[in-house]
Amino acid sequence: MIEGLNRIRQENQTGISSFTLEGILLGVFQFSVFFPFVSPVPIQSDVQPLGGLLAGVILALRFLSKKLVVEKRNLFLLLYTFLLLCFINPFGGFEIDYGKYLSMLYGMVLLLVFTSEFEIKANFFFLSILIYAGFTVGLLAMPNLFFNIQDMLIRNTNSVDFLGYRGISTLSTEPGLFGGLLVAFAMINDHLKSHNKLSNVKFFLLHILILFMILLTKSGTGYLYYVVFLGFKLFDNKIPFIQRVSGFSLVVILTVLLVIYLGSLGLNLGRGIDIIMKLSEGSSGGLGNDSSILYRLSGFYVSFLVMSVYPFGVGFGDVETTAQEFVYESEFLFSLLGNEQVHFTSAFSYTVMGAGLLAVGLFFSIFLLTKAKTKHKAFAFIFMFFSYSLAFPMIWLLLSLKKKK
């Protein structure tokens, strides 16, 4: 009876029953957000469209039932996004990468759902981490079987040599993307704990599992993101100073000891440790010789180089052609890329190339108008700048996390 009363009370607070069509859709939607690279029918994209499609259906149902409420700031961001989509150069080409071109609109649809009647269910989150951890163990124990299962659910697995230079990419296309996703999970874990939605036992268990999987990715991206995550915790005044210093020190010491131990066994510590060790020695080889990092930095650099000449961008449809022209004209870029095509790993660089200062203005507006904590905004922008498509659900979920009152 008590559980029934609690459920009724929760329904009264959110206005949504778990047993309504919308409630079921929200549950499936939440799992699609926690598994952004997974789809029953994968398409040729890292981030699968299931989350955005479900978000669109949810918004449509609310609109038809006259329950759709959009805050003014979110309406402004949505209209701003539509304005950018119209920024197509009529005198240029029409070679549009629609995945990147529409990714901002896709993200806005996600944001509208996240900032309305949406709440992260702690039990869904807990189950999701257990699934990731269980699948990771399966990859280690029976790699062929679990890789075959994984390739039916994601676009493709870029790396299967997780015992060598690269690490695991559980239910993701590559270790770097999985590493960043795990750090986002670590922030959600902290958020749920701060709102008293996770017990201490579950909180610590989830963090251990998340850290365990981050280490197994052997991803420089994942490792660096986690170091930044720890840095934010170190300066979090809401956590007692002794706990901050001791916790940070413990993680660093245990990680260093683990690296030393694995190295003594002659094991390949992988890409992430290799990059970090080179950087710690003052060598830039860890960046310049890593194609993934090179693609990210070069795309980011080209977009702002072009904006210095075309302040309002070159218009969508002319992005790739103009970017390649600037590579040929720049000795520095040509020495890095040669005749290789510019890779816009992040849709942010693509959007800035297309709309210039208008795009920068939109991203600045998002930063100002969303009400998440600074660390959540920081990671959302790091994700969109360097690692993920603007369609990556975690970007918009982090921006929507409410501060504890």
Side-chain angles (χ1 to χ4, degrees):
M1 180 179 291
I2 294 175
E3 291 180 359
L5 290 174
N6 287 335
R7 180 169 61 82
I8 292 172
R9 186 180 299 113
Q10 186 176 12
E11 290 172 11
N12 290 335
Q13 291 174 349
T14 63
I16 299 174
S17 169
S18 300
F19 299 102
T20 64
L21 175 60
E22 186 177 337
I24 294 171
L25 285 173
L26 280 169
V28 179
F29 169 70
Q30 189 157 169
F31 273 119
S32 72
V33 169
F34 292 150
F35 294 89
F37 309 109
V38 173
S39 173
V41 185
I43 65 171
Q44 291 303 307
S45 170
D46 288 331
V47 176
Q48 295 297 309
L50 186 59
L53 293 175
L54 288 170
V57 172
I58 292 168
L59 292 177
L61 286 176
R62 290 179 179 174
F63 176 78
L64 292 174
S65 61
K66 299 180 180 180
K67 294 192 300 181
L68 180 61
V69 178
V70 180
E71 296 180 2
K72 290 182 179 180
R73 62 176 180 271
N74 292 331
L75 180 60
F76 168 77
L77 294 175
L78 182 63
L79 293 175
Y80 199 151
T81 301
F82 274 115
L83 173 65
L84 286 191
L85 293 181
C86 298
F87 204 73
I88 299 176
N89 184 357
F91 303 105
F94 287 91
E95 298 177 359
I96 298 177
D97 185 335
Y98 285 98
K100 292 181 174 65
Y101 172 66
L102 296 174
S103 60
M104 177 59 81
L105 180 60
Y106 182 100
M108 283 296 128
V109 172
L110 290 171
L111 184 65
L112 290 180
V113 175
F114 288 142
T115 53
S116 57
E117 293 180 345
F118 177 83
E119 183 180 355
I120 299 176
K121 302 295 183 183
N123 55 340
F124 283 13
F125 178 68
F126 184 75
L127 178 59
S128 298
I129 302 303
L130 291 183
I131 292 173
Y132 275 111
F135 206 96
T136 297
V137 173
L139 283 172
L140 296 173
M142 296 176 285
N144 291 333
L145 172 62
F146 278 83
F147 273 129
N148 288 334
I149 296 173
Q150 175 161 303
D151 283 339
M152 292 187 292
L153 300 173
I154 68 172
R155 183 187 72 176
N156 65 283
T157 304
N158 292 350
S159 171
V160 296
D161 182 28
F162 55 83
L163 294 178
Y165 187 59
R166 303 196 71 182
I168 60 168
S169 53
T170 307
L171 296 174
S172 308
T173 56
E174 62 176 76
L177 294 180
F178 185 43
L181 176 64
L182 289 168
V183 175
F185 285 156
M187 285 184 283
I188 293 173
N189 193 41
D190 280 359
H191 173 78
L192 292 175
K193 180 64 176 67
S194 68
H195 285 71
N196 300 315
K197 293 181 180 179
L198 284 175
S199 65
N200 288 332
V201 173
K202 284 187 175 180
F203 169 74
F204 285 113
L205 172 62
L206 290 178
H207 196 90
I208 290 172
L209 291 176
I210 290 169
L211 179 57
F212 168 71
M213 290 186 285
I214 289 175
L215 291 174
L216 287 179
T217 65
K218 298 183 181 180
S219 162
T221 302
Y223 291 177
L224 290 172
Y225 282 169
Y226 188 73
V227 169
V228 175
F229 166 76
L230 290 179
F232 273 107
K233 291 182 74 69
L234 186 62
F235 293 100
D236 189 347
N237 292 326
K238 293 183 179 180
I239 303 175
F241 180 76
I242 298 299
Q243 290 185 21
R244 280 183 274 156
V245 175
S246 59
F248 183 84
S249 302
L250 180 62
V251 171
V252 172
I253 291 171
L254 289 177
T255 302
V256 170
L257 290 176
L258 178 63
V259 169
I260 293 174
Y261 173 70
L262 294 177
S264 68
L265 296 178
L267 298 179
N268 191 329
L269 299 179
R271 186 184 195 182
I273 295 296
D274 183 50
I275 292 172
I276 291 174
M277 291 298 291
K278 287 179 179 178
L279 290 175
S280 66
E281 294 168 359
S283 170
S284 60
L287 297 178
N289 296 329
D290 188 278
S291 60
S292 178
I293 294 176
L294 180 62
Y295 291 157
R296 285 170 169 79
L297 295 179
S298 61
F300 190 79
Y301 177 73
V302 169
S303 65
F304 280 92
L305 182 64
V306 172
M307 194 171 65
S308 68
V309 179
Y310 300 102
F312 293 99
V314 297
F316 298 108
D318 217 20
V319 171
E320 286 88 351
T321 302
T322 304
Q324 212 60 41
E325 291 174 356
F326 270 75
V327 170
Y328 293 143
E329 294 173 1
S330 169
E331 292 184 10
F332 171 69
L333 286 172
F334 191 76
S335 66
L336 292 176
L337 300 176
N339 292 317
E340 190 171 355
Q341 186 177 1
V342 177
H343 293 260
F344 290 104
T345 305
S346 164
F348 168 81
S349 299
Y350 183 90
T351 307
V352 171
M353 274 282 297
L357 291 174
L358 292 175
V360 174
L362 175 58
F363 291 117
F364 189 68
S365 298
I366 292 171
F367 186 84
L368 287 180
L369 296 177
T370 51
K371 296 184 177 181
K373 291 182 178 179
T374 301
K375 64 179 180 181
H376 294 152
K377 290 183 179 182
F379 268 98
F381 276 79
I382 290 172
F383 286 160
M384 69 170 67
F385 288 168
F386 297 109
S387 296
Y388 295 96
S389 161
L390 295 174
F392 184 52
M394 285 298 158
I395 291 173
W396 309 101
L397 181 57
L398 289 174
L399 288 172
S400 69
L401 294 181
K402 296 178 181 178
K403 299 176 183 178
K404 188 175 180 181
K405 295 181 180 180

